[in-house]
Each structure stands twice: as C-alpha cells, then as structure tokens.
Amino acid sequence: MLIREATAADWPAIWPFFHVIVAAGETYPYPRDLEEPAGRQMWMLPPPGRTVVAVDADGTVLGSAKMNPNSTGGGSHIASASFMVDPRCARRGVGRALGEHVLTWARAEGYRGIQFNSVVETNTAAVTLWRSLGFEIMTTIPEGFRHPTKGFVGFHIMYRRL
C-alpha cells in the first residue's frame, strides 16, 4: 500500500465511498444528503491542510485522509484529521496505515498533538484503532450525535500528544 498526496484526479475514486459513508449517517456529522461539490470542497483541502489517498499496487484508491490545523491562532499547534476507508477494503490495515501516516506528518510539521473533535462512540472500530495508536478519550459529549438507528449517542473528543 502506498500513501500519497491526493490530486483532483483522485476525487472520482474517493467520492463513491465518501458518499456511501456520509449517506449512512453513522460516523460523520456531515449532512446525509451532501452533494458531490460540497463533499469535494470539504475533503480536498488546500494548504495548510492536506489530503492523501492510500492506493494498492494497481493504483486503486482504498481510502483517504485529510489533515489540518485543528484551530487557528493560539490553537494552530494542534492538528486534526479525518479518515474514510472504502468499506470494500475494511480490515485490510488501510485505516491504521493512514493513521500512522498522519502521525508522522503531524510530527514533521511541528504539531504538538492531534485532536479528533468528533469520534462517534458507537464507531467502535475507529475508537479501538485510535486508542491502539495512542489516542485517549478526553471527554464524551453526551447525545452529541444523532445516529440513524441508535438514536442520540456520544461524541468522543480524542487526543494524542506528539
């Protein structure tokens, strides 16, 4: 698996799984009816943000991550990131590889930590992965996320010092 900068030419490969994940409404606080142009704008970040793709030996996009400062000004030394893995590629180590890549990037860029603002508590695969990479749950916002089948569930704020 190779992780490289995403280009505009990658978006048509990202959009199908991005759309499926967002439309399911189980893991991201994006509008479930998000249209493609708005999705592209949200995901394909300009500097100082960065978007990458994980591709296999054939160049097939397996997943993507976007990374950026979590805040501006006095909070710009903390990074944030979001991840989407094509559901057809689940359990192949794509999320872990993207997470490790983001950690390496954040260190190289001089960030002091990484904060995930909204990890849905019922997304146990993500919570388990981020914990295994050294993230801690700093707090949980009770009923911070409206899950389409489980109702109101918590949003974790997760953090890792670098």
Side-chain angles (χ1 to χ4, degrees):
M1 179 181 335
L2 170 70
I3 297 176
R4 61 167 174 76
E5 295 288 328
T7 68
D10 293 313
W11 179 250
I14 297 168
W15 171 248
F17 64 83
F18 180 99
H19 178 66
V20 165
I21 292 166
V22 170
E26 297 176 348
T27 56
Y28 277 88
Y30 300 159
R32 293 178 69 186
D33 61 352
L34 186 70
E35 294 185 4
E36 185 273 335
R40 182 178 349 107
Q41 184 176 9
M42 292 169 76
W43 200 258
M44 303 296 282
L45 298 181
R50 180 173 179 246
T51 304
V52 297
V53 288
V55 298
D56 67 12
D58 297 329
T60 301
V61 174
L62 309 172
S64 182
K66 68 174 187 162
M67 55 213 86
N68 50 275
N70 191 54
S71 188
T72 59
S76 63
H77 60 286
I78 303 298
S80 190
S82 296
F83 304 82
M84 288 203 189
V85 174
D86 186 329
R88 298 171 300 180
C89 302
R91 305 184 76 67
R92 291 177 42 188
V94 178
R96 177 172 294 281
L98 287 166
E100 290 171 348
H101 180 87
V102 166
L103 288 168
T104 299
W105 167 82
R107 281 188 200 99
E109 292 294 311
Y111 287 99
R112 297 192 49 132
I114 300 180
Q115 178 176 320
F116 297 156
N117 300 315
S118 51
V119 181
V120 178
E121 72 180 351
T122 55
N123 186 356
T124 56
V127 173
T128 299
L129 173 59
W130 304 140
R131 282 186 158 173
S132 77
L133 290 175
F135 285 83
E136 296 177 68
I137 296 171
M138 303 308 290
T139 194
T140 302
I141 309 303
E143 299 185 347
F145 183 77
R146 187 175 53 235
H147 192 282
T149 61
K150 298 178 181 178
F152 290 99
V153 299
F155 246 159
H156 295 318
I157 296 175
M158 298 185 79
Y159 181 75
R160 175 171 170 171
R161 193 176 305 247
L162 295 176

